[in-house]
Amino acid sequence: MPELPEVETIKRGLSEFLINKKIRKIEIFCDKSFLGPNELANSEIISISRRGKALLINLKNGITLMIHLRMTGQLIYRSDNNSFAGGHPSDNFISELPNKQTRVVFELDDGKLFFNDQRKFGFVKVLPTAEVKNDPFIKKLAKEPWEMSVEEFVKNLNRHKNSAVKPTILDQTVLAGLGNIYADEALFLSKIHPERLVSSLSEIEIKNLLENSKKVMEESIDSGGSTMATYVKADGTKGDYLKKFAKVFRREGEPCVRCGTEIIKIRVAGRGTHLCPKCQEKK
DNA sequence: CTAGGATCCTGTCAGC
DNA sequence: TGCTGACAGGATCCTA
């Protein structure tokens, strides 16, 4: 997915257009993508928030729409005067909608919000705002790196002493927000090999890892995450926002920016993983 | 309880 | 051209 920075960017982008607007109608093209009753006609959006990678659209009637984009989810807003799109970068940002990847359409009193999702792993879930905190995913979710103390991070990591560090920091109950891109980037900045066991990490390395997790996600938020604005450049050609800050992700074969060694791609716990074999020694 | 692999689903790309 | 397998910005479920 769409990791924490993309969801944060969507939160900010959609807030500009959706606050105080009413949802007139919800059209569901894929039952798997919409969990809960469709009884939200004329409900007003009062705020949009976020917990980890989950987007929360809060309605005046005490209902919250929890949206998780998972791997390929996108939210695309269009009206006569405005448009905004974010999430998994693809031509859906600019193509005619709805299309065959459209799963849910929210008709607003001003424009439409499309939930597109190629792989159908993502979902929109209807639940009482007061129950959001009891949702199984939200309930287990760890703090985001900005709120996480080193002590708590150590404690959470130590539940997985015998696991490799990369899958452990991808575990949202250990630290909220990192996904496959930012995990690789944070490990590169921290000079930690992704396959190192948690038990082998020093106090300093853990502290650096937490700091760098913040840093990579902040940088991405500052550059606008993955949205229409970064997907399509002003001249209409396609941009690649990843190239702006990613030092290792999808850079296999290119020289390391620190030492010039060729970046390699390996597989760790089933996920494609990018690293500099010299800066990130396995030990 | 943890560890690790399979699984959900659609689409694209490399290699024959 | 067509087929086949690998892989994908995530998280859960199942088994050991």
Side-chain angles (χ1 to χ4, degrees):
Chain A
M1 147 169 133
E3 307 180 29
L4 183 151
E6 283 68 52
V7 183
E8 176 64 23
T9 303
I10 291 173
K11 186 195 95 176
R12 295 179 186 186
L14 288 183
S15 292
E16 197 176 322
F17 303 116
L18 301 192
I19 304 297
N20 299 327
K21 300 286 167 54
K22 280 185 179 168
I23 297 173
R24 296 299 182 187
K25 186 181 162 194
I26 301 177
E27 205 170 348
I28 298 162
F29 291 76
C30 173
D31 288 339
K32 187 178 188 291
S33 306
F34 193 92
L35 313 172
N38 179 4
E39 298 166 357
L40 298 166
N42 295 321
S43 45
E44 186 179 334
I45 297 167
I46 52 172
S47 64
I48 303 180
S49 49
R50 181 185 63 69
R51 277 285 285 133
K53 304 177 195 174
L55 188 76
L56 303 165
I57 299 181
N58 306 302
L59 309 177
K60 201 172 187 173
N61 61 6
I63 293 293
T64 288
L65 297 171
M66 172 176 156
I67 302 180
H68 200 309
L69 302 174
R70 293 280 182 96
M71 295 280 261
T72 54
Q74 308 167 300
L75 285 166
I76 302 152
Y77 170 76
R78 288 183 189 165
S79 73
D80 289 344
N81 305 314
N82 296 298
S83 63
F84 173 85
H88 179 70
S90 86
D91 281 349
N92 288 340
F93 283 177
I94 47 176
S95 17
E96 185 161 343
L97 297 176
N99 64 16
K100 70 176 166 183
Q101 294 181 351
T102 302
R103 309 304 177 200
V104 182
V105 180
F106 300 87
E107 287 183 23
L108 308 162
D109 37 29
D110 178 19
K112 291 183 180 183
L113 178 66
F114 299 89
F115 173 59
N116 267 40
D117 185 16
Q118 178 190 124
R119 295 175 74 179
K120 299 184 182 174
F121 293 165
F123 56 85
V124 178
K125 190 171 181 177
V126 179
L127 65 176
T129 306
E131 289 299 316
V132 170
K133 62 179 190 301
N134 298 321
D135 176 86
F137 175 77
I138 300 287
K139 197 166 187 169
K140 287 182 294 182
L141 197 56
K143 289 176 183 163
E144 298 182 6
W146 298 277
E147 277 74 46
M148 178 78 72
S149 68
V150 178
E151 294 71 30
E152 187 172 358
F153 189 39
V154 168
K155 200 177 111 196
N156 291 352
L157 284 171
N158 281 341
R159 297 202 312 264
H160 306 273
K161 273 184 182 299
N162 298 317
S163 289
V165 60
K166 175 168 173 185
T168 305
I169 59 172
L170 284 176
D171 183 337
Q172 302 295 298
T173 72
V174 169
L175 182 68
L178 288 180
N180 207 34
I181 297 174
Y182 304 109
D184 282 1
E185 294 299 318
L187 288 166
F188 171 77
L189 290 186
S190 310
K191 301 187 178 177
I192 297 171
H193 192 290
E195 287 178 317
R196 293 260 310 275
L197 293 188
V198 168
S199 58
S200 79
L201 300 176
S202 71
E203 187 96 15
I204 294 289
E205 286 177 320
I206 291 174
K207 186 169 175 289
N208 285 339
L209 185 53
L210 184 60
E211 280 305 310
N212 288 322
S213 300
K214 269 184 243 186
K215 190 176 163 189
V216 292
M217 293 202 285
E218 276 167 3
E219 271 184 37
S220 176
I221 292 169
D222 290 345
S223 72
S226 166
T227 59
M228 190 169 55
T230 49
Y231 185 74
V232 186
K233 294 192 285 186
D235 62 6
T237 61
K238 287 182 192 175
D240 185 351
Y241 94 109
L242 268 180
K243 292 286 178 194
K244 281 200 278 189
F245 70 90
K247 307 278 196 298
V248 289
F249 195 83
R250 288 187 194 152
R251 284 189 186 274
E252 60 269 31
E254 297 180 31
C256 169
V257 294
R258 272 195 306 236
C259 74
T261 303
E262 201 171 286
I263 300 300
I264 58 169
K265 182 176 180 184
I266 61 173
R267 197 148 260 279
V268 179
R271 306 298 300 275
T273 299
H274 313 72
L275 68 137
C276 169
K278 182 150 180 251
C279 294
Q280 296 165 272
E281 271 189 275
K282 204 164 172 180
K283 291 183 182 171

